[in-house]
Amino acid sequence: MEQRVTGWVGWVWFGAFALLSVGLFNLITGLIAVFDEDKLLAWSPGSGAYVVDISTWGWVHLFLGLLLTCTGFALFAAATWARVVAIIAVLASIVWNFFWLPVTPWWSLAIIVLGAFVLWALTVHGDEVERAVR
């Protein structure tokens, strides 16, 4: 029995493009920060001030950018592992933006809603991507 491909595959493609875009931006900012020798003074209300090396922040963003970019390309190719990584990334984004609701309510709400659609498409209709690629 042939199963049909629904329009939800478009949301999977949207998720793949979003991962690819965010990954590329993280790669660029990570590369810039890796070669920057500046220090950043950060303030935490509970523990006071501390100095953060921007290059360390850059290496983290460089690694995350590489992971998200590879995941975005693999999601376009309908790789199963990419769906798993994308689901984890979308869940992390939703949780992260939930904590930022008091600071940026409209932006966080928009990201949470978009993330919910992409999460639904990845979990429920993710297997349709394989049929759409064939």
Side-chain angles (χ1 to χ4, degrees), residues 20-93:
L20 187 62
S21 300
V22 170
L24 289 173
F25 282 122
N26 277 339
L27 278 172
I28 292 168
T29 57
L31 278 174
I32 291 170
V34 163
F35 297 109
D36 193 0
E37 296 187 15
D38 290 340
K39 305 288 186 219
L40 178 66
L41 180 63
W43 176 261
S44 175
S47 61
Y50 54 95
V51 176
V52 177
D53 185 15
I54 291 180
S55 65
T56 304
W57 177 85
W59 282 109
V60 170
H61 275 74
L62 194 64
F63 173 74
L64 288 175
L66 187 62
L67 177 70
L68 292 176
T69 302
C70 291
T71 302
F73 278 125
L75 202 53
F76 278 123
T80 303
W81 69 267
R83 274 191 300 171
V84 173
V85 173
I87 287 169
I88 293 169
V90 170
L91 281 173
S93 172

Side-chain angles (χ1 to χ4, degrees), residues 76-107:
F76 278 123
T80 303
W81 69 267
R83 274 191 300 171
V84 173
V85 173
I87 287 169
I88 293 169
V90 170
L91 281 173
S93 172
I94 289 172
V95 169
W96 181 257
N97 280 286
F98 179 75
F99 287 119
W100 280 95
L101 267 171
V103 180
T104 55
W106 293 108
W107 177 257

